[in-house]
Amino acid sequence: MTAFDLIALGDNCIDRLTGAVTADLVGGNAVNVAVQAAMLGLRSAYCGAVGPAGEADSDRVLAALTEKGVDVSLADRRTLSTSVTCLSVALDGNRTILTEDFGACAGWTPPSASLSALSAARHVHIGWLQDGGHARRVLARDGVSLSQDVSVNAAPEDLDVKGLTIAFGSLSEAQADYAEAHAADLVAQGAKGAVITLGARGSLALIGGQTFRAAAPAITPVDTTGAGDAYIAGFLAARLNGADVPKAMAAGHTCAAACCGH
């Protein structure tokens, strides 16, 4: 039996909110996926870089993950500070990023020992990771079931999808008509499959040469932050538990809707 069902690799951060809401929240694509996967019953771990021991932000990130049942033995302490994003929240709930400091996450590459542990997982999901695609290439070479959220990175070298089992992308509701073309492009670039989330317009998947569409539940969202991460976790957990693609898409939407409700 492998050590973990799912390891999320990549970003973590403290979201520091000011304005209509004042709060410090733990987040990041990889962290959110790891937590949601653990909440869905998977043996989940997080692999990423935080600040030094004793730093309040780094200790809080790891404590929050541990509290949610996520293994943090693969977390890497660095001398750089933990990533912090400062946001302003308007009265209508919209958020504006004021500053973004990637800190310990910037330029971090998982060490060889961590890559060996990642290779033993049933599935690895990559979030924001500024390593030039190194981990993706190593894990793909080792035949690891692998996904990445290509919507959270910016540098072309970090966005190559060759070797991914699933490339997760996202488009706005206004761009929903381009979802099929976007999925096809990701597959043409080397991903074995692609899933595109479309907000209230649902999602589209291109897997095994078949195209699938799923509707999103009709909800009145409180906050859509992290909904895409929740969808990814729901989809992956369902697939790892043997669900077919339509059921996995439905599971993703259920998790996303719950995330939007608070």
Side-chain angles (χ1 to χ4, degrees), residues 133-145:
H134 175 69
R136 175 185 50 77
R137 289 191 295 271
V138 171
L139 296 172
R141 179 201 66 196
D142 291 347
V144 177
S145 177

Side-chain angles (χ1 to χ4, degrees), residues 128-220:
W128 187 95
L129 184 63
Q130 198 178 42
D131 72 338
H134 175 69
R136 175 185 50 77
R137 289 191 295 271
V138 171
L139 296 172
R141 179 201 66 196
D142 291 347
V144 177
S145 177
L146 193 61
S147 61
Q148 183 166 8
D149 187 342
V150 300
S151 65
V152 298
N153 280 359
E157 61 269 22
D158 297 320
L159 286 173
D160 195 329
V161 298
K162 292 177 182 175
L164 294 181
T165 308
I166 303 174
F168 285 99
S170 64
L171 292 173
S172 67
E173 295 167 27
Q175 297 173 306
D177 291 343
Y178 300 100
E180 192 165 350
H182 186 29
D185 183 53
L186 290 171
V187 170
Q189 291 178 45
K192 296 176 183 176
V195 177
I196 313 298
T197 56
L198 305 166
R201 296 282 298 274
S203 60
L204 178 142
L206 176 58
I207 296 176
Q210 288 187 274
T211 299
F212 305 87
R213 296 180 183 273
I219 62 171
T220 301

Side-chain angles (χ1 to χ4, degrees), residues 61-86:
V61 168
L62 298 185
L65 284 162
T66 300
E67 181 184 353
K68 293 297 185 181
V70 178
D71 186 283
V72 296
S73 60
L74 297 175
D76 194 5
R77 295 275 196 176
R78 300 184 76 187
T79 57
L80 296 171
S81 61
T82 298
S83 175
V84 174
T85 300
C86 295

Side-chain angles (χ1 to χ4, degrees), residues 57-137:
D57 288 342
S58 67
D59 291 349
R60 183 181 177 193
V61 168
L62 298 185
L65 284 162
T66 300
E67 181 184 353
K68 293 297 185 181
V70 178
D71 186 283
V72 296
S73 60
L74 297 175
D76 194 5
R77 295 275 196 176
R78 300 184 76 187
T79 57
L80 296 171
S81 61
T82 298
S83 175
V84 174
T85 300
C86 295
L87 307 100
S88 176
V89 183
L91 292 174
D92 63 2
N94 285 322
R95 299 180 178 189
T96 302
I97 294 177
L98 302 176
T99 61
E100 201 166 17
D101 180 1
F102 292 108
C105 292
W108 176 78
T109 299
S112 57
S114 294
L115 287 172
S116 296
L118 288 158
S119 293
R122 291 180 63 200
H123 186 85
V124 173
H125 174 73
I126 304 173
W128 187 95
L129 184 63
Q130 198 178 42
D131 72 338
H134 175 69
R136 175 185 50 77
R137 289 191 295 271

